[in-house]
Amino acid sequence: MINFEYKPSYSVEDLREIVRILRAPGGCPWDIEQTHESIRRNFIEEAYEVAEAIDEGSPDHLREELGDVLLQVLFHASIEEDAGRFNLDDVADGICKKLIFRHPHVFSQDSADTVDQVLVNWEELKRREKGQATHTDTLNSVARSLPGLWRAEKLQAKAAKAGFEWPNVGAAMDKLEEELGELQEAIAQNSNIKEELGDLLFAAVKIARFFHIDPEEALEGTCEKFIRRFSGVEAAVTAQGRSMGDLPVDELMVLWNREKSPKTEE
């Protein structure tokens, strides 16, 4: 039996201790055998669930999901502490020093009176801190584990700061049409389709940037719209006493286009 004090409420230090107990000899067999790699996806999924709670506007749900992310942070720190490389206090030390360094307008004599100036200073300090001597260094610093659309957006934004940017949205649209033509040609030749599709998506992200649209949010909105319209199509098919597989694609598309049409009041 472990020596553990039950409390009406617990703190971050209590959570840290619980993680230690779970991973110590005699703890939970599953927790003991986990590695950074084995729970990597868990961390990503928990972060997305925080985002979903934010979108819902639910404080209770957000509190719960932040707890799950906090557990992931403590779990990874615990793995490193057991290996003797660093612990949670080292993690806190690192982020504290980073925040102090990147906020000289708060912690030293520098000034930044506007949000834009803060962001300019932040990027310059970040480059200095990470030893990024070239613009290519800043591109390589963008995490490869980001969702593709977000990574494309960040790469394009950093390239734009180096002056590598289309002059206007019209030029960006021309590029999008060019990439579409190259994809169509690749499909016709059944060659390099994956590469040309990637180029088309990358060009589409550029359009999103010109209008300050988050490409992931745009695609998410389309996904939700697709579900709504698909639901309407399936309901119409079911009302006929049939199943989706019974109808040819052209008939399904008639129902789909009906769902796309603005609803009129009778």
Side-chain angles (χ1 to χ4, degrees):
M1 185 67 179
I2 62 171
N3 182 21
F4 179 73
E5 178 185 358
Y6 293 89
K7 302 178 181 180
S9 62
Y10 300 95
S11 67
V12 173
E13 282 303 315
D14 291 321
L15 177 57
R16 188 176 181 178
E17 175 63 10
I18 289 171
V19 171
R20 186 196 67 77
I21 291 171
L22 291 174
R23 300 196 65 253
C28 173
W30 185 90
D31 290 280
I32 292 171
E33 72 177 18
Q34 298 313 304
T35 65
H36 294 307
E37 292 73 21
S38 69
I39 58 174
R40 176 181 180 275
R41 178 168 175 171
N42 300 55
F43 207 144
I44 295 172
E45 290 177 354
E46 297 298 356
Y48 275 110
E49 288 176 10
V50 167
E52 184 172 344
I54 291 172
D55 293 341
E56 289 178 359
S58 169
D60 289 340
H61 189 192
L62 179 58
R63 179 182 59 194
E64 175 188 353
E65 299 302 341
L66 286 174
D68 290 342
V69 168
L70 181 58
L71 170 60
Q72 291 295 316
V73 172
L74 292 174
F75 207 108
H76 284 281
S78 176
I79 292 173
E80 288 299 305
E81 184 171 9
D82 288 348
R85 290 184 285 261
F86 66 78
N87 60 27
L88 186 64
D89 290 331
D90 296 319
V91 174
D93 175 66
I95 189 60
C96 286
K97 289 175 178 174
K98 180 186 293 186
L99 288 172
I100 293 168
F101 177 75
R102 294 189 187 177
H103 290 82
H105 55 288
V106 176
F107 296 101
S108 68
Q109 300 303 313
D110 290 359
S111 63
D113 299 325
T114 67
V115 172
D116 288 342
Q117 187 58 53
V118 168
L119 293 177
V120 169
N121 292 348
W122 178 278
E123 286 299 321
E124 176 57 33
L125 289 166
K126 184 176 180 180
R127 289 185 63 175
R128 191 190 314 167
E129 177 186 43
K130 294 184 177 295
Q132 296 169 354
T134 67
H135 292 292
T136 300
D137 288 341
T138 68
L139 299 187
N140 280 322
S141 72
V142 177
R144 288 165 171 77
S145 57
L146 281 173
L149 296 179
W150 275 347
R151 186 175 181 222
E153 180 187 46
K154 290 180 73 71
L155 289 173
Q156 291 176 10
K158 290 183 180 295
K161 291 176 182 177
F164 195 79
E165 177 69 288
W166 293 114
N168 52 54
V169 69
M173 284 296 296
D174 289 342
K175 182 62 176 176
L176 183 65
E177 292 177 6
E178 175 189 325
E179 296 297 351
L180 176 59
E182 291 180 3
L183 175 60
Q184 291 170 331
E185 183 177 348
I187 291 173
Q189 298 177 355
N190 194 28
S191 174
N192 297 328
I193 297 173
K194 180 179 179 180
E195 177 182 349
E196 297 301 341
L197 177 59
D199 291 347
L200 180 65
L201 293 172
F202 194 85
V205 170
K206 177 67 71 174
I207 305 300
R209 287 192 59 252
F210 267 102
F211 291 99
H212 307 289
I213 294 171
D214 183 325
E216 287 287 343
E217 287 185 4
L219 183 57
E220 175 60 22
T222 296
C223 289
E224 292 301 316
K225 181 170 61 178
F226 178 84
I227 293 172
R228 290 194 303 271
R229 289 176 178 174
F230 184 90
S231 175
V233 170
E234 186 171 31
V237 171
T238 301
Q240 298 175 16
R242 306 165 77 182
S243 65
M244 296 285 287
D246 294 336
L247 275 69
V249 173
D250 57 344
E251 290 187 37
L252 290 174
M253 291 310 299
V254 169
L255 296 174
W256 177 266
N257 290 329
R258 185 183 302 168
E259 288 298 316
K260 285 181 62 176
S261 301
K263 299 293 189 296
T264 56
E265 296 183 3
E266 296 183 358

